[in-house]
Amino acid sequence: MSERTATGAVNATGFLRVLAVDDEPPALDELAYHLRADPRVARLHTAGDATEALRLLRDGDVDVVFLDIRMPGLDGMELARVLRRFARPPAIVFVTAYDDGAVDAFDLGATDYVRKPVRADRLAESLRRVIGSRVVSSHPAALARAEEDPTIPIELAGTTRMLPRSAVRWVEAQGDYARLHTAEGSHLVRVSLATLAERWADAGFVRVHRSYLVQLKLIAELRLVNSGYVVVIDSTELPVSRRHTRELKDKLVRAAKQDWSR
């Protein structure tokens, strides 16, 4: 165990036990500096790789792990999967210079996703979310609601915000990215439409075209036009490809029958 790891900083006014993991010493030192300065952090340990982090987690309870993703050996995503199997898993906050792991991170139940270089105010927001998640976890009904409506990270003016999946009306493919359309606007995220179609199928999202994924319950009309069918959501017409038309009709009929039987 390194000297840095062995001497966890203690704050007499704090209550969160924190572990920071990063294989780059300058990045780890900067992260630790900001975390130690926060009055909510009671104890801070640091680790330079996943193996060292697991050793620390074995020796004592931790409330939250601030975790880099790209590390040699066991990377951050793999470590997070291990932590999820703990009887009392800590909250996970990913801290990374890259945005291409954001969707996978939240599929793993991450509490937050922070971009490097880290800022004190952004880490303070992460700690607030960690505390909020701990409150939710103590209320089963609230936890169930959170699991039913996961969030997806979006970038707004250099800040990562959490967008509830329920706010998404429809999704448009844009190359390797997807544009999430909400009632207030749209947001570009680095994930393919095919990936979202697979992950969000159980939440009522259906593929109507190679470029469009829609929330089934929000379809106001399925209309025949000269060039084929379109669906109408929020007064917006979206094309329906021939290969998806029959399946979409069947799903709309089944959904209507379920509503009638209630």
Side-chain angles (χ1 to χ4, degrees):
M1 186 180 297
S2 68
E3 181 180 353
R4 179 191 293 116
T5 301
T7 56
V10 178
N11 184 329
T13 63
F15 54 91
L16 286 175
R17 297 161 296 183
V18 180
L19 171 62
V21 187
D22 198 312
D23 66 302
E24 298 180 357
L28 184 58
D29 289 343
E30 181 182 18
L31 177 59
Y33 172 80
H34 289 303
L35 289 171
R36 287 191 180 104
D38 194 291
R40 292 164 293 188
V41 176
R43 182 177 295 275
L44 174 69
H45 289 294
T46 61
D49 55 40
T51 301
E52 190 175 10
L54 287 171
R55 206 160 47 234
L56 280 166
L57 290 162
R58 178 195 61 198
D59 294 339
D61 289 335
V62 167
D63 298 308
V64 54
V65 179
F66 283 78
L67 180 58
D68 187 27
I69 291 180
R70 299 192 180 183
M71 299 187 296
L74 196 69
D75 67 20
M77 289 292 182
E78 293 167 329
L79 177 57
R81 293 187 180 94
V82 173
L83 299 183
R84 286 191 68 184
R85 296 198 292 267
F86 281 27
R88 296 174 57 189
I92 300 293
V93 174
F94 285 103
V95 184
T96 177
Y98 307 94
D99 62 1
D100 55 357
V103 173
D104 288 335
F106 282 87
D107 278 350
L108 287 170
T111 301
D112 205 355
Y113 191 95
V114 178
R115 292 287 302 278
K116 295 179 180 178
V118 296
R119 304 191 318 268
D121 61 335
R122 187 64 184 86
L123 288 178
E125 171 65 13
S126 290
L127 290 169
R128 185 194 65 77
R129 290 176 182 172
V130 169
I131 294 168
S133 70
R134 284 159 58 84
V135 172
V136 167
S137 66
S138 66
H139 296 80
L143 179 59
R145 288 194 297 271
E147 290 176 344
E148 290 170 2
D149 190 18
T151 57
I152 185 167
I154 58 172
E155 290 291 324
L156 289 174
T159 299
T160 304
R161 302 292 186 190
M162 303 305 118
L163 179 71
R165 183 176 60 191
S166 60
V168 179
R169 319 286 284 180
W170 50 281
V171 186
E172 178 183 7
Q174 294 192 348
D176 294 332
Y177 291 74
R179 183 166 294 280
L180 311 179
H181 291 265
T182 70
E184 291 75 31
S186 67
H187 310 281
L188 195 65
V189 295
R190 189 171 181 176
V191 60
S192 70
L193 191 72
T195 298
L196 287 181
E198 179 182 352
R199 294 177 178 177
W200 290 5
D202 292 341
F205 284 84
V206 296
R207 193 80 172 261
V208 298
H209 188 275
R210 67 180 181 180
S211 298
Y212 297 99
L213 179 70
V214 305
Q215 175 59 273
L216 184 70
K217 66 182 180 182
L218 299 180
I219 295 176
E221 294 182 43
L222 175 62
R223 180 190 303 161
L224 180 63
V225 296
N226 293 336
S227 58
Y229 281 93
V230 298
V231 292
V232 180
I233 297 180
D234 298 335
S235 301
T236 300
E237 293 185 356
L238 303 174
V240 180
S241 64
R242 290 183 178 179
R243 61 175 294 200
H244 291 103
T245 299
R246 179 172 294 278
E247 181 182 6
L248 177 60
K249 287 182 177 179
D250 290 343
K251 288 182 176 179
L252 287 170
V253 170
R254 286 198 300 269
K257 287 182 177 178
Q258 289 176 355
D259 288 340
W260 295 339
S261 62
R262 289 175 182 172

